[in-house]
Amino acid sequence: MNTAMNWAAFSSAEPDLARTVETRFGAFTHHVLATLRKDGSPRTTGLEVRFLHGELWLGMMPDSLKALDLRRDPRFALQANPGEGQSLGGGDVRIAGRAIEVEDADTKGAYMTEVEPPEPFHLFRTELTEVVRTYVEDDTYLVVQVWKPGEPMRTLKRT
């Protein structure tokens, strides 16, 4: 069983990892989104994200290339801003999944009330297919936590 989950379902399944991921994304405003161009090659761009009402939201300017990419192919990868230096407080966190554009006026209206984005805008909710956290433990081990829907979280340690 490997189906996508929204943020609320992931948070329920792995609350500690979800808190760590939200904290890492909350530490900075801008993050890196990877989408797929028409020819299948990757495109990376900056992006602000929001965790609201059990969803991870991606908001974008109208007709931005990343929005057009997601309309064509909803697969994405999102990496939290690593910040300054090399400490990566809380580790390096990445989320992969599918982005579904929200057309519903009530949902967009509720988002607009809380976030107050410049209008017009594209709004996507996400379905997660993978969450990964990589960090150093005790200055000795590289630890990688990998979560996928329907599977227990795997933790790998290397020296």
Side-chain angles (χ1 to χ4, degrees):
M1 179 176 140
N2 192 9
T3 59
M5 288 185 178
N6 75 351
W7 188 257
F10 165 66
S11 294
S12 178
E14 293 294 340
D16 292 339
L17 180 57
R19 274 191 298 277
T20 298
V21 170
E22 280 194 52
T23 299
R24 282 291 294 118
F25 276 96
F28 297 94
T29 303
H30 297 97
H31 307 286
V32 178
L33 176 72
T35 58
L36 296 170
R37 300 170 192 252
K38 277 186 213 178
D39 67 3
S41 63
R43 179 191 318 273
T44 59
T45 54
L47 180 76
E48 294 181 31
V49 302
R50 304 283 184 186
F51 296 90
L52 295 171
H53 308 295
E55 299 285 358
L56 168 57
W57 302 97
L58 312 176
M60 297 167 204
M61 293 172 53
D63 298 323
S64 64
L65 294 175
K66 58 191 158 199
L68 298 176
D69 287 347
L70 290 173
R71 281 181 161 176
R72 189 175 40 261
D73 186 329
R75 293 176 293 171
F76 73 89
L78 180 66
Q79 184 166 14
N81 185 328
E84 294 181 27
Q86 298 177 359
S87 66
L88 286 177
D92 177 42
V93 295
R94 300 178 304 276
I95 299 170
R98 292 184 297 273
I100 293 83
E101 188 161 17
V102 175
E103 303 286 354
D104 175 65
D106 290 340
T107 303
K108 269 186 109 167
Y111 180 87
M112 285 173 47
T113 299
E114 290 213 35
V115 178
E116 299 179 358
E119 294 183 60
F121 67 99
H122 294 284
L123 181 62
F124 294 84
R125 69 173 183 77
T126 60
E127 294 181 346
L128 312 180
T129 57
E130 182 179 66
V131 177
V132 178
R133 175 184 179 215
T134 305
Y135 63 98
V136 176
E137 182 179 279
D138 299 329
D139 291 324
T140 304
Y141 301 100
L142 177 67
V143 181
V144 181
Q145 296 174 303
V146 180
W147 172 87
K148 293 182 180 185
E151 298 178 16
M153 185 171 64
R154 292 180 301 135
T155 301
L156 311 158
K157 273 189 181 183
R158 283 194 265 190
T159 54

